[in-house]
Amino acid sequence: MIVRKATGSWVAGLILCPLLVHAQIPSGHQTRVISRVSNFEFGILNNGEQFGAANDLDGFFPIGDWPRGSFHMRPYVSGGMVLAAMKEGRRFVSTAGSIITPEPGHGPFNQTVPGSVGDPQAEDDPLFSGQGWRYVENPNYVVYSSLDFDPTGEDVSGANSFDWPLRSVDGSTIYVRDPLLRANYEPVFVSDEDIFCVFKDTDTRADPWFDGDWSGRSAPIGAEVQLTVYSWEFGPARDIVLFTYELFNKSGYPLDSCYILFDPGLELSGPAYPNGILEAHRSTFESEPFRNLTIIEPSNPTEWSTKWTATPIPPTIGYPLIETPRGYDGNPLGLGYSVCAYETGYYVGEDGMTHYLGESGNDSIYYSVIASPALADSIFVDFCATSSSVSIGVGPFPVGVDQSVKFAVGYVFSDDLSHLLLLDDFLIRMRDHSYQRPSPPPAPQLTAVGLNRSVKLSWDNAAESATDIIIPDSLGRPFVGYKLLRATTRDGPYVELAHWHTDTLLVYEYLDTGEDLEGGPAPGETGSGKLKNNVTYYYQLLSYDEGAPRLKLDPMSSPPVDGVNAVSVIPTTEPADATSEASDGSVVDGTLGAATAPVLIPRNTTNFNRLLSGRDLTLRLSAASNGLRYTLPVTITDSISGRVHNDVVDPELLVHGSSEVAGLRSGTATIEDVFDIGAADITFDYTFEQLSEPFHIASIIEGSSDCPIIIGDSIGTTGLQLSSPYTSAAQELYL
């Protein structure tokens, strides 16, 4: 495994054997929540300990696995956070999942218990007179999962005694300890599953190093920790879990030169490869030193592909520091060091020998190990026993009396390094925008008008100006098209009628005539559509984005919203008193031949009024020849609906004229049932002059030896006679 550190160095160490884990609470029992939504399955105990106990104490067998349910990982220690601090000149360490043991072979004990410092129901510690310092068995001090609560924060699972404890107080998210006060504030939920617990290090009975007085091997710091874990069910965030710690100094004294040591506590260990030992190569990560990121990368994918069944190879794992305390200069500290966990489990004594910290260590020694600058310059090693046997260090920083600091670290799982870095960027963007998620385009405003056995649907283009602050355009366009759906009941099922894409064509109107349906008008009925009159139809118009393929994010569609992009409509016969008048168009300068302005003649009053009235259509005339005669292809376009109608006008112009046929060719062109929607015809008059010699409409078709090109000029002395200046390109007539 490669252990990388974003500041440009790496270290790794050999864990000789997995350590047993033993959680300890002075009285009462622990509670644990198993995450339910993300692709990383893990457990959290109410004393801040991650995963569980390796010796299955209290039934909490350790759970920490990716992909969920694959059992290809296992916690090798109880993961979690360690706080080291100086108080009144003395060095103290408190752990929530660590390697401290009262004697060898009994596994680590952590030094934290559930609850808040200062709880009036909790006993004072007789040695330190700390108010509410001891553990009290209170149903309020469980691990909360937001999945157990409704949007108002009320428990709907029956698994909790009280409501969701995180509330919005004066615009800030606050843990409200008193359940009776929670109803006064709105609950705060961030991810698809928020997990919360509160714990403290102030019960001396939980410290295996405590000797009974202040001057012994160990004593509490006086810290309260509020832990919130965020995880997501869909999209790239499904492979990300974020642990956020807020540490409160409740000791009554300033804390100086504080450090946080975090141990992820995971081991790659599939059923076919239980030891999880692979060669670790020396490497650096200097290309992007701004990242506060520790990376574990498998080094032998060929070998692993035959032993790892959940994914092609074991995952590349990243531990990004998303938030760190501010140092003495006022700036966030970022990543201090990443080392093999082995490095923090041993120390060199005064005798020059290496000793196991859990056997003969104390707070002062442990503090020195955590704070030692030598950790950042550790000697490179070539083997690392586990994929994530790292400890991540941050410090030093101060914490004033009754002040707090925040520390947030993520678990990010990926199939390769490049994808992991994209996920790291993704998580940072989420952090910078209050953990918003990728969003689909906004819903377009859809309107529907019932016609005789058909429905006209139209919409605006508001969705096309969509932006997504979480997914940059370089990874995926925030809008690429529309999908139109129809159903006969509000709940569906819906069938797709049409879709449009920016790479082809976007339109803003659709006439649903029910062409996908069986049947037609009943005897005595009118209307060309197959929809049924006086029957309700339900429509949804969904705008969708491109997703983010490199992030493995599928395209997202705007959800249907009643009255916005989800509407219902009833087709009906046309009103008896409906009237309509013909509509004249205009001709641009330089038209082909002498053509009058086109006229729209209604065929059906209702269809004309609702489908074409007031609409700008474009009629384009061009010229074509089969070598014998000229015809005038006509293309009529409605840019709103995307409809196109093609037809041909034949003015009876011969390529090879004669004296017998020479003269003017005048007539009226009629384009019947434009767009085939039973709304209108188009007519216009035309006049051309048939020449007696062969001629060719300039630049429309290629010339040949038997058909010389004669270019008509603005005076009209030769070639095709025009009533206005001639241009060789196809001409447009606007209706």
Side-chain angles (χ1 to χ4, degrees), residues 289-318:
F290 60 87
R291 294 183 186 272
N292 293 307
L293 179 64
T294 298
I295 297 174
I296 311 298
E297 189 177 20
S299 61
N300 194 341
T302 302
E303 178 181 353
W304 274 95
S305 64
T306 64
K307 299 174 180 178
W308 192 272
T309 59
T311 53
I313 59 173
T316 297
I317 308 176

Side-chain angles (χ1 to χ4, degrees), residues 4-9 285-295 318-322 324 333-338 392 412 417-429 431 475 550-551:
R4 285 179 170 170
K5 175 185 143 187
T7 52
S9 62
F285 193 59
E286 298 174 345
S287 59
E288 297 175 272
F290 60 87
R291 294 183 186 272
N292 293 307
L293 179 64
T294 298
I295 297 174
Y319 301 108
L321 295 189
I322 296 301
T324 57
L333 289 167
L335 179 63
Y337 54 80
S338 300
I392 299 166
V412 181
L417 179 56
S418 61
H419 183 223
L420 177 69
L421 298 182
L422 290 175
L423 287 176
D424 184 46
D425 293 335
F426 171 80
L427 179 57
I428 291 172
R429 286 192 297 272
R431 176 204 64 189
L475 293 179
R550 293 171 61 198
L551 275 174

Side-chain angles (χ1 to χ4, degrees), residues 439-441 471-481 501-503 543-550 553-557:
S439 57
I471 303 296
D473 291 355
S474 60
L475 293 179
R477 291 175 290 178
F479 169 85
V480 292
H501 197 281
T502 54
D503 292 340
S543 56
Y544 61 96
D545 61 23
E546 192 176 30
R550 293 171 61 198
L553 174 65
D554 294 332
M556 295 181 292
S557 299

